[in-house]
Structures are given as structure tokens and as C-alpha cells.
Amino acid sequence: MDHNTIALLMFSSLMLMMLTGQRVFGAIGFVAVIAALTLWGPGGTDMGFSAVMKLMKWTPLLTLPMFVFMGYVMSESRLAEDLYRMFHVWFGPLPGGLAIGTILLMVLISAMNGLSVAGMAIGATIALPELVRRNYDKLMISGVIQAGSSLGILIPPSVVLVLFALIARQPVSNLWLAGIGPGLLMAVMFIAYITIRTWLNPKLAPRMSAEERASIPRAEKYKLLRAGLLPVFIFAAMMVPFINGWASLTEASVVGVGATVLVAALKRRLTWRVFETATKQTLHITVMFMLIITAALSFGAVFDGLGAGRAIQTFFTSDLGLAPWMILVLMQLSFLVLGMFLDDTAMLVIVAPVFVGLAKALGFDLIWYGVLYTITCQIAYLTPPFGYNLFLMKALAPPDFTLPVIYRSVLPFVLVMVLTLVLIMVFPQIALWLPQTVLGR
């Protein structure tokens, strides 16, 4: 059997196991182990073992539990609730003001966490009840929370970009800086859509009444502004030493955790319950990520051992004779399809090693390509029928938020994301200007 047929059999077996409801790491690891033993015998297990040992020696991976812990401390100590109260008071009088505040809340949470799931949990527990109480349209509520939470994997400190740096062997600092411009651009485009949509149809997002605005003392309004300074302080405490070279990536993440814990302690909200919940959730998510990455790296080691990656590159560049930009578009479309079945981590460590090599062979900048990949992951998160955020929203939202409602709600935001993706493909400097300017890359 030739290596192309074996590679195809491995992928089809993997997808079949996914469709049967098996856990991601179990499906990937099982196919990897069976393929290795069948092809090379007992010695084949050394391939996966070597790949895993390289991972264990990659110190930036230690940032994963740090960023997850930061997000849960923010959530459990109600620091995120203070932020939402600030946005509610200051943006409530605007058309769609509370929806705009939700997007801004997600931007700030993303700047301290790096995971989509944390933003979704905060949005569903804090923003959703308030939006429902103020008679916002269900489609608007669902779309805003899902789209806003997806910003967590693009705006630094993005865990997905950290993992991409491992796969592509690129500096994490460059990838983080490259994600800032596109992330803020996407947030601005979300806000522009919300503003225009609610201006055309005010019933979708009722404004805060004049009576309620008058009932809030001016002193309280300005006091609430301090809540918005806390994320800026935490983000600066983490990023400034890192960008200036005073601390490594891992050390900067520890500084960020220290700043978050300090803020929670100063506000007298760092209770034992908060610490216990944040620690348990961090352990749960970190172990989940590690199991998926370990299994997927083993799969990738067998796949590379077959030479299938080089065969795919030859197929695209020589056999099909396609132009580089056509190949790039096909790569992005394949990520969208895979995103319906896999989460971003599994997709990254299974498919990205092949596509990263292909992108490099085609002469594309890998920092820029990392941003394109991450945006495509965001779109895949919201793409029916099996987008990750769709089912997470269904699990967290009230029963009257049915799957048809959730599916319909994301359509305009997916179109905004696609427009952002196209803009960055056409104008790469949106992503590359900041790392080139700050780091002189």
C-alpha cells in the first residue's frame, strides 16, 4: 500500500471515530498508535514518544495554565461583572449600547485570558441575563456573545497563537503582536454592524431609559471607570516586561497571574472558593489541552514518517499547477470544513504542520499565515452544523434559545469575520505592521 493511501486511511479512520462521539484525544491517539504499530512494529511508538518529549521541553507551553487561571480568577471574583456594569452605565444610552459593551467586555477579557471558552462562559453568565432582561432580540444576544467570545483566540495572550508558534517554529511575541491589529479591527467591525443594525431597527436593542440614566449619580459613573483600568493594568503588567525583553514569555505570564490575584485581593474578593474553583477549572482545561496535543503530535509524527506531508505539497504545487493564492484559499476553506468537526487545538496539531510547510514553500510569511489560520478557526467556531461555540452557547443559554435561533444568529457575524479575513489577505500589513515596528522584524 502506498503512503498516500495509508494517509487517506488514517484521516478517514480519524473522522469516522470523531463522528461516533469519541473524545478527541482518544480518537487521535488510537489511530496514531495503531498506525505506528502496524507500519513499524513496537519500535514505531518511539516516534510519538519523541514528539511528546519535544513538547514537554517547550517552556512557553507553561503559559497555558497561567492564562486560563487568570481568566477564571477574573470570572469567579466578579471582576468581569464590574467591567460589564461600567459598560452598561456608559454605553446604555447608545443604540445597541449594551451589545457594544458586551463586545468591549470580550476584548478586555481576551486580553487577559486567551481562550474562547472563558469569554463564552463570562458572556453567558453576566451579559446574557442582562440583555434578556432589557428585551434585546434573541438573535442579537446570541450572535453578540458568540462572536465576541471568539476574539479570545486572536487577541493576545492567545493560547492558539502560542500553539501555532510551537508548530511553525515562530516567535510567540511576533504572533501576539500580529494578532492585535486584526483582533481590534474585527471588534470594531462587530460594533459597526451592531450600531447600524440597531439604528435601522431600534426594537432589536432598546436603549437605557432617561429615567434610569438620571437615577445613576455622576460620582458612581466616574467610580465605575476605575473598573476599566484594571484590565489595562493587568495587560500592561504582563506585556510591557515581555516586549521590552525584561522577562521571558513564561515569566510574563506569571506576572500577569500575580497582577490578577493582587487586584482580586485588593478588592477583597480572593476567597478560598474563588481560588479552589479557578485552580480546579485550570487543571481541567490544561489536562484536556495536553491530552489533545500529545495525541495529535503522535499522529503528526506517524504522518510525517510516511512522507505524506511532502506528497501533499507536491500535489498542490506541481501536480495541480495552481497559483499560490489559489492554494492559500483552498487551505483556508479546508480549515473551515474541518472546524465543523474538530476543535482548534486538534485541527492545529493535525493539519497545520502540513499547511505550514506548504505556506512556507509558497513563499508566504508564516506570522501572517498564523493570523489567517486563527481567524479561520474563529469562523469555524461559529459555522453550523457543528461549530464549537454553537453547542457551548446552547449548553449555557436558557431553553428558549433553540439551535435554529443560535444558528441564525451567527450568520451576520460570520460574514463580518470573512470580510476581516479577506482584508488581511489583501492587506497583510494590517497584521505585520505592529511586529515589524515594535520588534524590528
Side-chain angles (χ1 to χ4, degrees):
M1 187 182 294
D2 65 274
H3 62 271
N4 291 330
T5 306
I6 296 172
L8 183 61
L9 182 61
M10 288 177 64
F11 267 112
S12 59
S13 301
L14 176 61
M15 297 308 297
L16 180 62
M17 291 193 68
M18 293 287 188
L19 292 174
T20 61
Q22 300 296 324
R23 292 187 179 274
V24 173
F25 76 88
I28 299 172
F30 177 78
V31 173
V33 170
I34 295 299
L37 291 175
T38 303
L39 292 169
W40 294 288
T45 57
D46 289 344
M47 300 173 66
F49 180 77
S50 299
V52 171
M53 289 309 297
K54 289 179 182 177
L55 173 70
M56 296 303 177
K57 295 176 181 178
W58 197 62
T59 54
L61 198 64
L62 292 171
T63 61
L64 171 60
M66 298 293 108
F67 297 143
V68 176
F69 186 77
M70 286 170 61
Y72 277 103
V73 169
M74 284 285 298
S75 175
E76 296 299 321
S77 62
R78 305 194 316 279
L79 296 177
E81 191 174 327
D82 292 345
L83 281 172
Y84 195 67
R85 171 67 176 163
M86 179 196 73
F87 288 128
H88 167 237
V89 169
W90 282 92
F91 288 88
L94 301 175
L98 213 51
I100 294 173
T102 302
I103 295 294
L104 294 174
L105 172 70
M106 298 298 184
V107 170
L108 293 177
I109 294 301
S110 299
M112 291 173 291
N113 179 263
L115 285 174
S116 173
V117 64
M120 177 67 81
I122 290 171
T125 55
I126 296 175
L128 191 146
E130 187 67 20
L131 291 167
V132 170
R133 189 175 71 84
R134 295 185 174 276
N135 298 316
Y136 269 57
D137 181 74
K138 287 181 184 178
L139 294 176
M140 178 66 71
I141 295 171
S142 175
V144 164
I145 291 175
Q146 291 183 82
S149 66
S150 71
L151 294 169
I153 65 171
L154 183 56
I155 296 176
S158 165
V159 172
V160 172
L161 288 176
V162 172
L163 297 178
F164 183 88
L166 166 66
I167 299 296
R169 294 180 174 85
Q170 296 295 311
V172 178
S173 56
N174 291 46
L175 284 161
W176 274 3
L177 290 171
I180 293 176
L184 294 179
L185 173 63
M186 188 177 295
V188 169
M189 293 177 71
F190 285 159
I191 292 172
Y193 164 75
I194 293 168
T195 303
I196 295 170
R197 188 82 174 86
T198 54
W199 179 72
L200 294 173
N201 188 357
K203 292 182 180 179
L204 295 177
R207 303 187 189 196
M208 182 191 293
S209 65
E211 293 78 11
E212 186 176 357
R213 293 200 302 270
S215 66
I216 303 173
R218 181 172 296 181
E220 183 180 350
K221 292 181 180 179
Y222 288 109
K223 183 180 178 181
L224 284 169
L225 282 177
R226 285 186 292 181
L229 297 177
L230 295 179
V232 177
F233 164 72
I234 295 171
F235 186 73
M238 177 175 56
M239 293 299 293
V240 170
F242 175 60
I243 291 175
N244 287 312
W246 303 335
S248 67
L249 175 65
T250 308
E251 293 165 345
S253 68
V254 176
V255 172
V257 170
T260 306
V261 170
L262 176 63
V263 169
L266 290 175
K267 295 182 77 70
R268 299 184 180 180
R269 296 180 185 175
L270 188 64
T271 63
W272 175 253
R273 184 198 64 79
V274 169
F275 180 78
E276 182 182 28
T277 302
T279 303
K280 286 182 177 179
Q281 291 298 323
T282 300
L283 180 63
H284 172 78
I285 291 179
T286 303
V287 170
M288 177 189 70
F289 263 91
M290 290 299 295
L291 285 171
I292 293 174
I293 297 168
T294 300
L297 283 176
S298 300
F299 184 96
V302 176
F303 196 76
D304 285 342
L306 288 170
R310 291 187 296 274
I312 291 175
Q313 291 184 28
T314 303
F315 175 74
F316 276 109
T317 55
S318 300
D319 297 345
L320 290 181
L322 297 177
W325 276 94
M326 295 176 66
I327 297 174
L328 181 68
V329 171
L330 288 176
M331 290 159 64
Q332 299 306 102
L333 289 175
S334 67
F335 271 134
L336 287 177
V337 174
L338 287 171
M340 298 179 184
F341 306 98
L342 304 175
D343 67 20
D344 58 326
T345 309
M347 194 161 54
L348 176 65
V349 290
I350 293 174
V351 187
V354 177
F355 282 3
V356 164
L358 183 54
K360 186 176 181 179
L362 293 171
F364 293 120
D365 188 293
L366 292 185
I367 300 296
W368 172 69
Y369 181 70
V371 174
L372 295 184
Y373 160 77
T374 306
I375 296 175
T376 310
C377 279
Q378 290 178 284
I379 298 171
Y381 266 25
L382 304 182
T383 306
F386 302 112
Y388 188 76
N389 276 16
L390 301 172
F391 290 99
L392 195 57
M393 183 69 187
K394 177 59 181 171
L396 295 171
D400 55 337
F401 282 76
T402 60
L403 271 179
V405 170
I406 293 173
Y407 282 177
R408 288 168 54 203
S409 69
V410 298
L411 179 58
F413 293 95
V414 167
L415 294 177
V416 170
M417 289 177 170
V418 171
L419 177 58
T420 306
L421 179 64
V422 171
L423 286 174
I424 294 168
M425 291 177 71
V426 176
F427 304 105
Q429 285 302 111
I430 296 175
L432 297 178
W433 177 82
L434 193 57
Q436 288 173 351
T437 301
V438 174
L439 301 176
R441 182 175 171 274

